[in-house]
Amino acid sequence: MAAAAPPPAAALEQLSKTKMFGGHNLRFRHQSASLGCPMTFSLFLPASPASKLPVLYWLSGLTCTDENFIIKSGAQRAAAAHGVALVAPDTSPRGLNVEGEADSWDFGVGAGFYLNATNEKWKNWRMYDYVVKELPKVLTDNFEQLNTSCASIFGHSMGGHGALTIYLKNTDKYKSVSAFAPIANPINCPWGQKAFSNYLGTTKSEWEAKDDKFLAEQLLAGNFEEACKAAGAPLILRMQPGYDHSFFFIATFIDDHIAHHAQFLKSG
Amino acid sequence: MAAAAPPPAAALEQLSKTKMFGGHNLRFRHQSASLGCPMTFSLFLPASPASKLPVLYWLSGLTCTDENFIIKSGAQRAAAAHGVALVAPDTSPRGLNVEGEADSWDFGVGAGFYLNATNEKWKNWRMYDYVVKELPKVLTDNFEQLNTSCASIFGHSMGGHGALTIYLKNTDKYKSVSAFAPIANPINCPWGQKAFSNYLGTTKSEWEAKDDKFLAEQLLAGNFEEACKAAGAPLILRMQPGYDHSFFFIATFIDDHIAHHAQFLKSG
């Protein structure tokens, strides 16, 4: 007998579908080859597009799953208006039972930092590959209404760090980048130092391959601004006094960010 | 010695304050005289108004607290744009330890149905008095920037039932009413029958003082439509195919509802 055909590489299990702003929130589970575990992601598809939809990736912050953004940001309103699909992955591998993976809220489960770990213990933590390589292929293989070659990326806090670093290394893959309260200089803040020393080891030269009530100690936006100036990189840096680090802040300014990306995605 | 002055009737403890759309989400706890227990409510105050702010009450559905609407609806965007304050009370007394109060999700805690119970066992369940009488006074006493005499009311599911019944009994107190997927005919649906028979007793004539994937069995919007026709009451009934009973549905249409109320609140 002939051998059974292998299962499709990216078989998706649909977990939910809810209508919103004329489109649909969809949630899927699939076996991730990069991470070696099942992963969930959420996708907002605006209503019946005339042409293929560009894709805007959202990377969430510490402790989040793929659902926080879909439930709390209100992003679907502007995404529907601009005809942009939203994709929100989870923030780390889950369920691998690596010793200590859930001991702290800012490392391990829910805290993948969008990098590829080099420390053997955390070898499954390859969120960089998952977001940059695997997830776009899963989308291309499964959603013919998406134009995955026309993509942008944004995120919040740890996910802002992820969006900035992923964009800067892949300017051929993304049309634009933005971030809410990003961890903008991770090698000089406690969150980043904890993550990098564990995922990448204590040799700081290994960290250089990466760039990041948290503003002064953790986010360090000022250092990022100076780095952009020194490199001649264009940057719009907006400070919003009085807002905290929550989704109330994100919801307030999400329309601005989506409109920003839409102009690049539509001209792209 | 003179007796000590009684404590202020409506001392409010502020639990949180978060900036959103230029205004603030505020959350308070206070001792409710109507309900005999501490209650929480949420208030969205748009930024520094030129004149006093009208008030739009939101009544939530089964299982909600005062927080669901604030976190998931996205209502603050339109409320800020229209200069309308949002007030979201909790959905029942809590912490009274009445036997069986938390045995089911659709009765007792989280399920006050915005009525005054007459069954002795549920004597603290007086959400009608709390919403119509006590809460407006608490607001008047504590927030001089609010014009509580210029108010409207809306809600979802059980809270849609609450908004409709409260408005119809108090057209002097509220300028307008609207509801998302309301329980529109509670005496003829399982949720209403369970609530009314327990809170009000099994004498159905007692229920008449009150006037609901839940649409066919629980919400019964068609019956409400016919009743409005028979009574000559103006009604805009919109059916939205494909939407479920969640906050994704509410968020999609919240702007329409707030704009509807704003026209009455501003001319009022």
Side-chain angles (χ1 to χ4, degrees):
Chain A
M1 282 175 67
L12 290 182
E13 177 191 359
Q14 184 174 305
L15 302 176
S16 64
K17 179 178 182 177
T18 50
K19 193 171 178 181
M20 191 175 190
F21 291 105
H24 288 91
N25 298 307
L26 301 162
R27 190 171 190 231
F28 299 96
R29 183 191 290 130
H30 70 116
Q31 181 66 29
S32 165
S34 316
L35 308 173
C37 67
M39 288 289 283
T40 57
F41 67 89
S42 288
L43 167 65
F44 175 71
L45 283 179
S48 49
S51 56
K52 286 197 173 193
L53 294 162
V55 177
L56 179 53
Y57 293 91
W58 170 266
L59 304 183
S60 272
L62 290 164
T63 77
C64 287
T65 69
D66 59 295
E67 291 196 295
N68 304 62
F69 178 71
I70 295 298
I71 294 171
K72 297 181 175 179
S73 73
Q76 295 90 335
R77 199 181 62 85
H82 289 287
V84 172
L86 300 170
V87 177
D90 201 350
T91 55
S92 79
R94 292 181 193 266
L96 290 165
N97 297 315
V98 175
E99 178 267 329
E101 69 177 17
D103 286 357
S104 53
W105 64 274
D106 56 1
F107 182 77
V109 168
F113 275 82
Y114 307 101
L115 52 71
N116 291 334
T118 55
N119 184 329
E120 174 65 18
K121 176 174 175 181
W122 302 103
K123 62 176 186 249
N124 289 86
W125 267 247
R126 300 184 66 81
M127 287 298 293
Y128 177 89
D129 278 359
Y130 179 72
V131 169
V132 175
K133 299 172 184 172
E134 181 171 1
L135 189 53
K137 181 158 185 352
V138 169
L139 296 171
T140 304
D141 290 349
N142 286 277
F143 302 96
E144 61 181 19
Q145 65 271 61
L146 296 179
N147 177 8
T148 52
S149 67
C150 185
S152 289
I153 191 162
F154 67 157
H156 172 231
S157 198
M158 174 183 76
H161 151 73
L164 293 170
T165 53
I166 284 173
Y167 171 79
L168 289 169
K169 293 176 182 200
N170 299 278
T171 50
D172 56 323
K173 289 194 170 73
Y174 304 96
K175 307 283 185 195
S176 52
V177 65
S178 72
F180 292 78
I183 302 176
N185 189 188
I187 69 173
N188 288 319
C189 81
W191 281 338
Q193 288 163 353
K194 180 174 179 178
F196 288 5
S197 62
N198 282 285
Y199 290 136
L200 305 175
T202 51
T203 309
K204 286 206 180 187
S205 60
E206 295 287 316
W207 303 4
E208 305 283 325
K210 325 276 160 192
D211 263 354
D212 198 307
K213 35 191 222 186
F214 305 124
L215 182 65
E217 191 196 359
Q218 301 277 17
L219 305 181
L220 305 178
N223 295 4
F224 184 74
E225 183 179 26
E226 286 179 22
C228 287
K229 267 186 201 159
L235 170 70
I236 303 168
L237 177 63
R238 308 194 312 181
M239 303 298 275
Q240 306 288 3
Y243 290 87
D244 71 4
H245 203 63
S246 74
F247 270 95
F248 296 128
F249 159 62
I250 295 170
T252 302
F253 300 105
I254 195 79
D255 286 10
D256 297 351
H257 282 244
I258 290 173
H260 171 77
H261 291 292
Q263 59 181 318
F264 293 97
L265 291 168
K266 283 174 180 170
S267 67
Chain B
M1 284 175 68
L12 289 183
E13 176 192 359
Q14 183 176 307
L15 302 178
S16 65
K17 179 178 182 179
T18 49
K19 194 171 179 181
M20 191 176 190
F21 292 104
H24 288 92
N25 298 307
L26 301 162
R27 190 171 191 229
F28 298 98
R29 182 191 289 130
H30 69 115
Q31 180 65 29
S32 166
S34 316
L35 308 173
C37 67
M39 286 290 282
T40 56
F41 67 88
S42 289
L43 167 65
F44 174 71
L45 283 178
S48 50
S51 57
K52 287 197 171 193
L53 293 163
V55 176
L56 179 53
Y57 293 92
W58 170 266
L59 304 183
S60 273
L62 290 165
T63 77
C64 286
T65 70
D66 60 294
E67 292 196 295
N68 304 61
F69 177 71
I70 295 298
I71 293 172
K72 298 181 176 179
S73 73
Q76 295 93 334
R77 201 181 62 86
H82 289 287
V84 172
L86 300 171
V87 178
D90 201 350
T91 55
S92 79
R94 293 180 192 265
L96 290 165
N97 297 315
V98 174
E99 178 267 328
E101 70 176 16
D103 285 358
S104 53
W105 65 274
D106 56 1
F107 183 77
V109 168
F113 274 82
Y114 306 100
L115 52 73
N116 290 336
T118 55
N119 184 330
E120 174 65 17
K121 177 177 176 180
W122 302 101
K123 63 176 186 252
N124 289 83
W125 266 247
R126 298 185 67 80
M127 287 297 294
Y128 177 90
D129 277 0
Y130 178 74
V131 169
V132 175
K133 299 171 185 171
E134 182 173 0
L135 189 53
K137 182 158 184 352
V138 169
L139 296 171
T140 305
D141 291 350
N142 288 278
F143 301 95
E144 62 182 18
Q145 64 271 59
L146 296 180
N147 178 8
T148 53
S149 68
C150 185
S152 289
I153 192 164
F154 68 157
H156 172 231
S157 198
M158 174 183 77
H161 152 73
L164 293 170
T165 54
I166 284 174
Y167 172 79
L168 290 169
K169 292 177 180 199
N170 299 279
T171 51
D172 58 323
K173 288 194 172 73
Y174 304 94
K175 307 285 184 193
S176 52
V177 65
S178 73
F180 292 77
I183 303 177
N185 191 186
I187 69 173
N188 288 320
C189 80
W191 281 338
Q193 289 163 353
K194 180 174 180 177
F196 288 6
S197 62
N198 282 284
Y199 290 137
L200 304 173
T202 51
T203 310
K204 286 206 181 185
S205 61
E206 294 288 313
W207 302 5
E208 305 283 325
K210 323 279 162 191
D211 257 9
D212 199 299
K213 56 203 208 200
F214 304 123
L215 182 65
E217 191 194 2
Q218 301 277 17
L219 307 179
L220 304 179
N223 295 4
F224 184 75
E225 182 178 27
E226 287 179 20
C228 286
K229 269 187 197 154
L235 169 70
I236 304 169
L237 177 62
R238 307 194 312 179
M239 303 297 275
Q240 307 288 2
Y243 289 88
D244 70 4
H245 203 63
S246 75
F247 269 94
F248 297 127
F249 160 62
I250 295 171
T252 301
F253 299 105
I254 195 80
D255 286 11
D256 297 351
H257 282 244
I258 291 174
H260 172 78
H261 291 293
Q263 59 181 320
F264 293 97
L265 290 167
K266 285 175 179 171
S267 66

